[in-house]
Amino acid sequence: MPERAARPRSVRIFALAVLGAFFLGALPILSGKAGYQFLPSEQWLTQSRVAAILLGGLAAAAAPFAVLKGMKVQPRKHGTFMKIVLTGFAPFLAFMVYSHFVSLGIPLVVAIAAGTETRAVYTVSEAKLLKAGKCRNPIEIDGMPYAWGELCNFPAGFVQGLKPGARIAAEGRGTEMGLYVTSLSQQD
């Protein structure tokens, strides 16, 4: 078997940066699955929206080429259908993960590293009373990134009093960029 040529240091650094950004983009999803409810601040989302869209767009544009290159580097018997599915799905996944890196991953890591007890105010877009499922009594927060912004398992009495447009104060560990929600209270 022929030896692969060593990649230049700049290529390795770039690859590590891309993988690191991918991990930080997936970290909010993983923390949510582990039961930690993190919300970025509305101010951070407003300030970082353009950067999130740009990075997500660049990642989405590069994703099909990366998938095809990976198929060439590690050849397996990929049928035409599988190539179409993988190269078609890759841009959506890349956009979501890399835009989440900016809008969710950065404030999440800052909250872990330098977080203190903090408070932030959010707007409710929807609140439901559900007694079954993984997310009981979900509260949807307005203006959050795609597939994000649902708070779960708060008391039915509190959720019942929330209407769309209501303002709630979230308290927990974090910074002005975002926080891990431990308690909620309704704003007047």
Side-chain angles (χ1 to χ4, degrees):
M1 180 178 255
E3 269 187 55
R4 283 188 1 192
R7 291 190 173 109
R9 184 173 185 201
S10 60
V11 171
R12 288 185 305 217
I13 291 171
F14 178 74
L16 286 174
V18 168
L19 288 174
F22 183 84
F23 174 72
L24 288 177
L27 189 60
I29 297 166
L30 297 173
S31 75
K33 294 293 182 190
Y36 297 103
Q37 300 184 85
F38 179 80
L39 286 177
S41 70
E42 291 178 339
Q43 177 186 1
W44 172 257
L45 290 174
T46 302
Q47 291 173 346
S48 66
R49 181 158 284 134
V50 172
I53 291 170
L54 285 175
L55 185 61
L58 288 172
F65 300 108
V67 168
L68 292 173
K69 178 72 173 172
M71 288 180 180
K72 285 183 183 177
V73 171
Q74 293 187 338
R76 294 185 185 123
K77 293 189 178 188
H78 293 73
T80 305
F81 177 74
M82 189 55 123
K83 285 182 182 179
I84 291 170
V85 168
L86 289 174
T87 55
F89 180 68
F92 298 108
L93 179 64
F95 181 84
M96 187 174 87
V97 168
Y98 282 92
S99 64
H100 278 185
F101 163 69
V102 174
S103 58
L104 298 169
I106 292 172
L108 183 138
V109 170
V110 171
I112 290 171
T116 60
E117 288 301 313
T118 189
R119 184 172 196 231
V121 178
Y122 297 96
T123 304
V124 174
S125 64
E126 184 178 11
K128 299 178 191 171
L129 291 174
L130 298 175
K131 296 190 189 251
K134 289 182 181 179
C135 183
R136 292 186 182 103
N137 303 329
I139 302 169
E140 291 282 334
I141 305 299
D142 194 33
M144 291 292 131
Y146 175 72
W148 201 259
E150 184 177 68
L151 298 173
C152 300
N153 305 323
F154 284 93
F158 176 73
V159 175
Q160 191 174 21
L162 296 176
K163 303 289 181 228
R167 301 286 285 169
I168 57 173
E171 294 181 15
R173 183 171 175 82
T175 65
E176 60 222 21
M177 295 168 72
L179 67 124
Y180 286 95
V181 179
T182 56
S183 67
L184 294 176
S185 60
Q186 192 165 358
Q187 295 289 98
D188 294 325

